[in-house]
Amino acid sequence: MAGTDSSRELVYAPSPAIILCEPQLGENIGAAARAMANFGLWDMRLVAPRDGWPNPSAMSTAARANHVIERVKVFDRLEDAIADLSLVYATTARSRDLAKPVLGPDEASNRLATHIEGGAKAGLLFGRERWGLNNDEVALSDAIVTLPVEAAFASLNIAQAVLVLAYEWRRASGRGALQFPAQMDPPASKEELVGMFEHLEEALDRSGFFKTAAKRPTVVANLRTMLSRGDFTSQEVRTLRGVFASLDRRHERPNPTRQKPEKK
């Protein structure tokens, strides 16, 4: 399947289903849909949403993630929502007595990526806003995913949790390359760097910076070593040479701080 969003084409690549269990607020559903869209997820499943479906608040909060909202599937039972999945991870910050593996978001996403790349289906399960998932719901999962949050403030908004896991999924799936890499100027050539060094050294000679001729080679070597660590671009070298030239001509300009002689 393919669709369009503004001027860019959407690609519905295989990805985990996002299952929200008994979500209460439409705004949270919409914000979760937006987070999914940001990172290329599109299969949202709702289990017994409190305010029913469709939900106008969810649609307005989704902020143009219409392709996610339009594909939402609603189920009465969690068992039905995950029936076609062969791997399900439950997200929770609470400790439990269940004998379930506990994974971090990076490891969970790597496992999800491997599972889905093999042609199987998987999903991430999220609980209610107020109290998350109960033990029976967690028992249906294959493992627990816990985010490394501050223990004293471990509760995340559903949309926030979806955003973090969606980001980790995109990174693990190999689709995490930056879409808009910074446009960098080309790095300065050695010829440009040497010209900058010599320009600075000549200016320092004229200013009397080198007090003794014997120490000049050592000071020059130290200056070149320091400047070589700068990883300069061509534009930065030109800028620095402009600075050197301006400082070198300073004596030619009137000193604004020098007081003018008083007229008698």
Side-chain angles (χ1 to χ4, degrees):
M1 295 183 293
T4 57
D5 180 17
S6 299
S7 60
R8 293 184 175 272
E9 183 177 2
L10 288 166
V11 177
Y12 297 94
S15 58
I18 298 297
I19 307 114
L20 306 186
C21 190
E22 298 184 3
Q24 297 170 294
L25 298 176
E27 291 84 353
N28 286 336
I29 298 172
R34 180 177 183 178
M36 291 171 61
N38 286 146
F39 295 103
L41 280 71
W42 48 272
D43 184 0
M44 173 180 275
R45 306 179 185 191
L46 307 179
V47 178
R50 185 190 65 181
D51 297 334
W53 192 261
N55 186 310
S57 296
M59 295 177 180
S60 60
T61 310
R64 295 192 302 151
N66 299 332
H67 60 293
V68 177
I69 293 294
E70 291 168 359
R71 288 171 174 76
V72 166
K73 299 174 184 176
V74 181
F75 301 86
D76 293 328
R77 304 188 315 146
L78 176 59
E79 290 85 348
D80 297 328
I82 63 175
D84 63 326
L85 309 177
S86 53
L87 181 66
V88 176
Y89 290 155
T91 62
T92 177
R94 292 190 293 165
S95 61
R96 301 176 183 277
D97 297 328
L98 300 174
K100 294 283 185 183
V102 178
L103 309 175
D106 50 352
E107 183 180 2
S109 295
N110 289 334
R111 293 188 183 190
L112 285 170
T114 300
H115 190 79
I116 292 174
E117 286 171 4
K121 293 185 176 182
L124 288 164
L125 174 60
F126 298 82
R128 303 155 188 83
E129 288 93 330
R130 289 188 179 180
W131 48 278
L133 297 166
N134 61 40
N135 282 349
D136 290 338
E137 292 158 350
V138 175
L140 293 173
S141 68
D142 297 283
I144 291 171
V145 180
T146 297
L147 301 179
V149 293
E150 174 61 42
F153 200 76
S155 178
L156 266 73
N157 175 275
I158 291 177
Q160 293 174 324
V162 170
L163 182 71
V164 172
L165 270 298
Y167 163 77
E168 288 290 348
W169 153 256
R170 189 168 184 89
R171 177 199 56 76
S173 66
R175 291 188 282 143
L178 295 178
Q179 299 298 311
F180 306 101
Q183 298 296 317
M184 295 295 293
D185 289 325
S189 67
K190 294 300 182 184
E191 180 181 11
E192 290 173 313
L193 289 174
V194 170
M196 179 180 70
F197 298 155
E198 293 176 344
H199 186 167
L200 175 60
E201 292 151 18
E202 291 168 1
L204 293 176
D205 277 328
R206 285 189 290 271
S207 70
F209 176 80
F210 301 109
K211 301 301 182 183
T212 61
K215 292 184 178 180
R216 186 182 188 282
T218 300
V219 175
V220 166
N222 288 336
L223 285 171
R224 291 193 176 199
T225 299
M226 288 188 292
L227 291 171
S228 294
R229 291 197 295 264
D231 196 22
F232 296 115
T233 65
S234 293
Q235 179 57 54
E236 289 169 338
V237 167
R238 291 193 292 272
T239 300
L240 281 174
R241 293 194 67 168
V243 172
F244 300 159
S246 178
L247 293 175
D248 196 25
R249 293 192 302 269
R250 184 177 58 178
H251 65 282
E252 300 175 359
R253 300 192 298 270
N255 187 343
T257 62
R258 185 179 301 166
Q259 293 183 353
K260 296 181 180 180
E262 296 182 3
K263 294 181 179 180
K264 295 182 179 180

